Amino acid sequence: MQKHSDEYRLHHLPYLSLMGSFDLRHEGRSVLIAPAGQRLLSLLVLSRRTLTREYVAERLWPDASGIRAAGCLRSALWRLPKLNQPLVIATPSTLQLSQDIETDLTATEDILRRAIAWSEPSGGHIPRRTPLPDVELADQALSSDLLPEAWDEWVIVERERLHQMRLHALESLACVHRSAGNFGQALDAALRAVAGEPLRESAHRQVIETYLAEGNTGEAIRHFRELRSLLRSELGLEPSSLLCRRVAGAAGRDV
């Protein structure tokens, strides 16, 4: 019964993706939505609560007068696609995303939290019997940012929160896979974290530790030197003393 219910929701209810790009799908097809409608739905998803019309209008059209912004909001609501069920539950004073809409935001956060929890000390909120997220199966959550082409303040704050979660998740996966001897997967996760934030030393540390664990000391030294050069040129900083001692100890000399 549960499997039948899940299949019904997947094929018959709207599914909204915000990771990577905005995409609303219904019955297997992408639904065209005007830019104002996209911003409206995105705001309702990210807010996770019922909002007043006044608040929504002010957030979406901050430079317009109150009357003008309210008119733009009414127009955006009227132009939303008419599907089997409403996308937005609207009252004279409030707006709320329909509970029938599935989004990738919840699934993304779940994947990231589970990945982070695997490298935390036992006693965390998520039991260790929780399956370890696979880097490839969780590719979208581990590789995509939230609405990367949107620059509204309310998007930027949430995007940075998820971006930091993704970096921590990738570092966690690198650590867990390395401990299990899965060096290829560990290196893949670590290098994804580096690509996501090239100046993040903790991400580079996972790369270096993986090289050392698989016996590639020369690769570890090369990567450390590249990191040192990058930090010096971009920030005028040196790698942390902890990382310097770790690499020097592995090399048996100063590097």
Side-chain angles (χ1 to χ4, degrees):
M1 181 66 69
Q2 179 64 40
K3 181 179 180 180
H4 176 76
S5 175
D6 291 342
E7 290 179 351
Y8 175 85
R9 296 181 69 86
L10 178 64
H11 294 289
H12 296 279
L13 296 182
Y15 186 85
L16 180 57
S17 297
L18 300 181
M19 303 304 297
S21 62
F22 184 100
D23 183 37
L24 178 68
R25 303 191 70 82
H26 183 239
E27 297 182 343
R29 294 177 296 179
S30 185
V31 179
L32 183 64
I33 299 183
Q38 293 183 18
R39 295 177 67 233
L40 169 59
L41 293 177
S42 299
L43 177 60
L44 293 176
V45 170
L46 297 180
S47 297
R48 300 179 178 84
R49 58 188 174 89
T50 301
L51 302 176
T52 66
R53 285 177 175 257
E54 182 180 6
Y55 176 86
V56 172
E58 181 178 323
R59 297 292 276 178
L60 296 182
W61 295 277
D63 298 326
S65 66
I67 295 177
R68 174 64 177 165
C72 291
L73 176 58
R74 287 193 298 271
S75 175
L77 287 167
W78 183 82
R79 296 175 64 187
L80 286 176
K82 308 302 188 288
L83 306 179
N84 297 337
Q85 53 279 314
L87 297 174
V88 175
I89 306 302
T91 73
S93 60
T94 65
L95 299 172
Q96 180 183 9
L97 188 74
S98 171
Q99 294 183 350
D100 289 330
I101 298 181
E102 297 280 345
T103 77
D104 62 350
L105 188 61
T106 300
T108 294
E109 290 182 318
D110 177 65
I111 289 171
L112 297 180
R113 287 195 180 100
R114 286 194 291 127
I116 293 170
W118 264 89
S119 67
E120 293 178 345
S122 58
H125 297 294
I126 302 178
R128 285 304 180 92
R129 64 177 177 272
T130 301
L132 177 64
D134 182 89
V135 172
E136 293 183 358
L137 294 179
D139 186 70
Q140 184 172 3
L142 295 167
S143 302
S144 302
D145 278 324
L146 172 74
L147 297 173
E149 296 183 358
W151 294 102
D152 296 282
E153 180 183 356
W154 45 272
V155 176
I156 293 174
V157 172
E158 187 69 5
R159 181 164 60 222
E160 178 61 18
R161 183 183 72 84
L162 291 171
H163 179 68
Q164 291 300 320
M165 284 185 66
R166 179 161 62 88
L167 295 175
H168 281 287
L170 287 166
E171 291 173 2
S172 174
L173 286 174
C175 181
V176 173
H177 282 306
R178 184 174 62 252
S179 297
N182 302 323
F183 299 126
Q185 289 177 287
L187 194 57
D188 178 59
L191 288 173
R192 288 188 188 215
V194 169
E197 199 64 68
L199 296 175
R200 185 180 175 94
E201 182 177 307
S202 57
H204 287 277
R205 185 183 304 121
Q206 293 300 327
V207 175
I208 292 170
E209 290 290 354
T210 301
Y211 281 139
L212 292 175
E214 61 183 355
N216 290 323
T217 305
E219 291 289 327
I221 294 173
R222 175 191 58 79
H223 192 88
F224 171 78
R225 287 173 173 168
E226 290 175 353
L227 169 63
R228 183 173 59 192
S229 177
L230 180 65
L231 291 178
R232 285 174 176 174
S233 63
E234 295 293 328
L235 302 176
L237 298 175
E238 295 289 327
S240 68
S241 58
L242 181 63
L243 183 59
C244 291
R245 289 195 301 270
R246 175 72 176 104
V247 176
R253 56 183 172 82
D254 290 338
V255 295

